[in-house]
Amino acid sequence: MRLEAYGKALALVAGLLLTAAFAPAAFEWKLPPGVAPPPVPVDNPMSDAKVALGRKLFYDADLSIDGTMSCATCHEQRRGFTDSNRTHPGVHGDPGKRNVQTLANVGWHGALTWGDPGVKTLEAQALIPIAGSKPVEMGFAGQEAVLTARLAGQACYRKMFGEAFPEAGGEVSMSTIAKALAAFQRTLVSFDSPYDQRRRGQAVVASAEAERGERLFKANCAGCHAGPLFTDADKPRFHRIDAPFAGDRGLGDVTGKAADAGRFRTPSLRNVALSAPYLHDGSAPTLETAIRRHRAAMRLGNREVAELVAFLDTLTDETFVTDPRFSLPKPGCGP
Ligand code: HEC
Ligand code: HEC
């Protein structure tokens, strides 16, 4: 009897030790005070190993069929994870349909892309550039097996998929590739601009022009570019601002409803000073032009638009665009 109890206790201790040895260390978000982590799908928990793998994949041109293009080719960190083109051609010269979106705080967006409420998770979105065909970007449509074989053929990736997906036996599949990319992108957090620092009570002074711009912004713009995300994409909402939309009807192309023609998801304005040109088709070369395309700006004079631009400049987060955790990783196989 006593022996039996002793055995049970031993088994329990051994069990606890085993759990401790095999459970991955809890992921540490390192978010600024007052910011809750973004939603994470239950079947794709965060881990350091997965984020490291996602970062390596994000910067790897092996994710395009001809080895010339990575996610970072279009999403450049120094431009807030956008690029400077109106649209960015894919590997086969397809001209591209829309302006590259920022990835700052993308983990909080409830619908992804400029106009499709059906793309709800980063896991689902990641497969669009890799294997989509409207437009072709990285070129693996129908040839997904080429990509998984290419990655599984590299010792470094075998090790990293093993560490990131122990429950799946380190399988290299479109699903694990998408999950790792999603985990990395959930860490792309931008809350350290002069605007944020001021809100946290740090000694950062805004110009009188930017302060007037902030008041104008609250009155005219914050209904859609709402809250600390500067978008209502967490809800998500789609609006027609009265900018031209010839050839791309945004939400209207997805729902087929005339009332949805020209409605797009509100873009985040974080780091917007770094991401010219603007709007879904990149047709606005400057912030002034982008603002002028809004019905909401009709009553505003040139001076007020300049004040709004001065305010938007305070949303540039130098920490975010230079953070080494988000940059091209060193060659090698680990975090
Ligand atoms: C050829 C350029 C190009 C490449 C390569 C590319 N993207 Fe994009 N990305 C875009 C464009 C353009 C959009 C907007 C698409 C739309 O609205 O239809 C976008 C949108 C996104 C979004 C949605 C952001 C939001 O707020 O809704 C995410 C996330 C994203 N890309 C991640 C990735 C990942 C991950 C990769 C690599 C697997 C990648 N992209 C490769 C051009 C590119
Ligand atoms: C009714 C909702 C709404 C209001 C109000 C609004 N916006 Fe927008 N904003 C949008 C949408 C939607 C887009 C994308 C439109 C498109 O691409 O055709 C956009 C685009 C932008 C862009 C371009 C961003 C980029 O990355 O391309 C800027 C800059 C901008 N808005 C600033 C403002 C300012 C400043 C105000 C206030 C004067 C304002 N917006 C008011 C919804 C709104």
Side-chain angles (χ1 to χ4, degrees), residues 99-100 114 216-217 220-225 232 238-241 243-245 262-269 272 275 277-281 287 290-291 294-297 300 308 312:
N99 191 241
V100 180
W114 283 99
L216 284 167
F217 189 86
N220 298 284
C221 321
C224 302
H225 299 283
D232 50 10
F238 298 80
H239 310 271
R240 182 167 47 236
I241 62 166
F245 56 88
R263 288 174 68 187
F264 291 90
R265 201 206 66 197
T266 312
S268 165
L269 298 180
V272 75
S275 73
Y278 303 106
L279 301 182
H280 67 275
D281 55 357
L287 282 172
I291 295 172
H294 289 68
R295 187 177 37 221
L300 304 177
L308 281 166
L312 294 181

Side-chain angles (χ1 to χ4, degrees), residues 59-82:
Y59 280 97
D60 193 343
D62 270 351
L63 262 69
S64 59
I65 191 96
D66 62 356
T68 59
M69 178 178 270
S70 69
C71 307
T73 305
C74 297
H75 297 282
E76 296 174 52
Q77 181 182 16
R78 68 195 175 100
R79 300 183 197 274
F81 290 95
T82 68

Side-chain angles (χ1 to χ4, degrees), residues 163-334:
E163 287 161 358
F165 298 102
E167 74 288 352
E171 184 194 26
V172 181
S173 65
M174 294 308 278
S175 160
T176 51
I177 292 169
K179 282 179 171 173
L181 283 165
F184 169 61
Q185 292 180 92
R186 289 194 176 95
T187 70
L188 299 178
V189 169
S190 176
F191 289 108
D192 202 24
S193 65
Y195 165 83
D196 299 293
Q197 294 170 357
R198 225 152 51 86
R199 268 173 36 119
R200 286 198 291 266
Q202 283 163 254
V204 182
V205 207
S207 68
E209 197 186 18
E211 278 191 12
R212 285 196 297 274
E214 181 166 4
R215 284 194 292 275
L216 284 167
F217 189 86
K218 286 200 174 119
N220 298 284
C221 321
C224 302
H225 299 283
L229 296 174
F230 289 88
T231 169
D232 50 10
D234 51 332
K235 309 275 189 287
R237 301 258 159 75
F238 298 80
H239 310 271
R240 182 167 47 236
I241 62 166
D242 279 1
F245 56 88
D248 182 351
R249 295 164 4 109
L251 185 64
D253 279 338
V254 177
T255 64
K257 291 188 194 153
D260 289 338
R263 288 174 68 187
F264 291 90
R265 201 206 66 197
T266 312
S268 165
L269 298 180
R270 289 204 165 260
N271 307 296
V272 75
L274 305 177
S275 73
Y278 303 106
L279 301 182
H280 67 275
D281 55 357
S283 62
T286 62
L287 282 172
E288 285 82 356
T289 337
I291 295 172
R292 282 277 173 227
R293 296 270 176 86
H294 289 68
R295 187 177 37 221
M298 238 163 49
R299 295 172 296 106
L300 304 177
N302 288 343
R303 183 171 150 181
E304 288 167 308
V305 171
E307 288 165 353
L308 281 166
V309 171
F311 170 62
L312 294 181
D313 280 342
T314 70
L315 302 181
T316 301
D317 179 346
E318 286 301 330
T319 314
F320 176 68
V321 297
T322 57
D323 193 325
R325 292 174 303 160
F326 308 148
S327 64
L328 176 72
K330 289 200 185 73
C333 318

Side-chain angles (χ1 to χ4, degrees), residues 57-58 63 69-75 83 86-91 96-104 106 109 111-116 119 121-122 125-130 134-138 177 181-182 185 233 248 265 268 280:
L57 290 168
F58 188 88
L63 262 69
M69 178 178 270
S70 69
C71 307
T73 305
C74 297
H75 297 282
D83 73 351
R86 282 180 75 154
T87 65
H88 197 117
V91 287
K97 186 172 159 196
R98 291 182 177 159
N99 191 241
V100 180
Q101 291 177 296
T102 178
L103 302 181
V106 73
H109 293 178
L112 299 155
T113 79
W114 283 99
D116 191 345
V119 187
T121 63
L122 287 165
Q125 194 285 330
L127 299 175
I128 300 175
I130 300 176
K134 288 187 277 178
V136 171
E137 292 179 312
M138 305 170 96
I177 292 169
L181 283 165
Q185 292 180 92
D248 182 351
R265 201 206 66 197
S268 165
H280 67 275

